[in-house]
Every structure is written in C-alpha cells, then in structure tokens.
Amino acid sequence: MALVVVNVMPKPEILDPQGKAVTGALRRLGHEGFSVRQGKRFEIEVAGEVTEARLDEIRQAAESLLANTVIENFEVVA
Amino acid sequence: MALVVVNVMPKPEILDPQGKAVTGALRRLGHEGFSVRQGKRFEIEVAGEVTEARLDEIRQAAESLLANTVIENFEVVA
C-alpha cells in the first residue's frame, strides 16, 4: 500500500468564491494579511507498487475525472 | 509573500461518500486497485513573514473555520 496525492486547485485567473469567503471570514475574525484559495485534495491508496504505469493511470484519472482542466490545475505527488 | 497550506481530510473512521464515488468511478473506467479519500486543500498566502505567531493564527483558523474537527483532521504545512 502506497499513498499518492492529487492536489486540484482553481487556476490563478479563475475567481474562487469559496476562497474569497474564507478570506473574508478570517478578516472578520481578526486575522489580517491572509489570502486563501480553496481546492481539493485526493489521497489515493494504491494496491501494490507505485510504478510509472500506475502513476500514468492516476494522471489520466486526474485529467479526466478529478480535475476540471478548463478551470483547475492539478499536481500528482507520489 | 509566503505560502502556507492547510490540508483537511475526513477522519479515517468517517465514511467519505465523495471518495467512495471517485473510487467507484475509477473502477468503472478500468482503473483497479485504487482507494480514494477526498478532502480539501487551502493555499494561504501570508503577507510578510511566516512567524510562529502567524502559524498559530492559521492553526486556530483551521481548527475553528477550515475544518470540522468532529469529522475531519487537518495539517498545516509551512
């Protein structure tokens, strides 16, 4: 069992209403000087070894299923 | 400007319907041997230096605002 992480974040040029809401909430709680963007984190347990072929499967899944690549970037962290 | 990341994941004993749905979708797409859990990733841009006091502010915000600590764990990555 090995863990591979896929991080999915809104692209920099895309408005991020959830992140904006969190930034505003922090400010109202007295925490100044923070700018938040909110994305998703997928923790993927891989049965057996994490080979380059398995990573390719995960990249493909990230592209087609986990991220909306029109508005989101992703990174695969093995 | 420095970046601090807060990862928020459902606790291991908590059912994760989104992760289960992704796991099932992967299987239907022909990707076997993956088990997925879905959480949130917050990227926090901090104005100025990331001091221990600033990190404490972020930990406090994570605890009270970003995570629901009844059902989620969080980690702060500076």
Side-chain angles (χ1 to χ4, degrees):
Chain A
M1 279 294 184
L3 193 74
V4 176
V5 171
V6 179
N7 292 319
V8 177
M9 295 299 296
K11 289 187 178 181
E13 68 272 22
I14 297 289
L15 209 67
D16 169 21
Q18 291 179 305
K20 286 250 179 298
V22 173
T23 302
L26 283 174
R27 204 168 290 140
R28 282 191 298 281
L29 291 169
H31 303 294
E32 298 284 345
F34 297 115
S35 173
V36 182
R37 289 183 76 76
Q38 181 173 340
K40 284 175 279 186
R41 174 186 168 92
F42 297 92
E43 291 186 353
I44 306 179
E45 263 186 15
V46 181
E49 225 183 313
V50 179
T51 58
E52 197 50 45
R54 290 300 257 168
L55 281 176
D56 269 344
E57 273 187 272
I58 291 174
R59 283 186 204 108
Q60 200 184 312
E63 187 120 18
S64 64
L65 184 70
L66 305 181
N68 175 350
T69 55
V70 178
I71 57 169
E72 293 170 324
N73 290 326
F74 70 86
E75 57 167 0
V76 176
V77 187
Chain B
M1 278 293 183
L3 193 73
V4 176
V5 170
V6 179
N7 293 319
V8 177
M9 295 300 295
K11 290 187 179 183
E13 67 272 22
I14 296 289
L15 209 67
D16 169 21
Q18 291 178 305
K20 286 252 178 298
V22 173
T23 302
L26 283 174
R27 205 168 289 141
R28 282 190 297 280
L29 290 169
H31 304 294
E32 298 283 345
F34 296 116
S35 174
V36 182
R37 289 182 76 77
Q38 181 173 341
K40 285 177 276 187
R41 175 185 167 94
F42 297 92
E43 292 187 352
I44 306 179
E45 262 187 16
V46 181
E49 224 182 314
V50 179
T51 58
E52 197 50 44
R54 291 301 257 169
L55 281 177
D56 270 343
E57 272 186 273
I58 292 174
R59 283 187 204 108
Q60 202 184 311
E63 188 120 15
S64 62
L65 184 70
L66 306 180
N68 175 350
T69 54
V70 178
I71 57 169
E72 292 170 325
N73 291 325
F74 70 86
E75 56 167 0
V76 176
V77 186

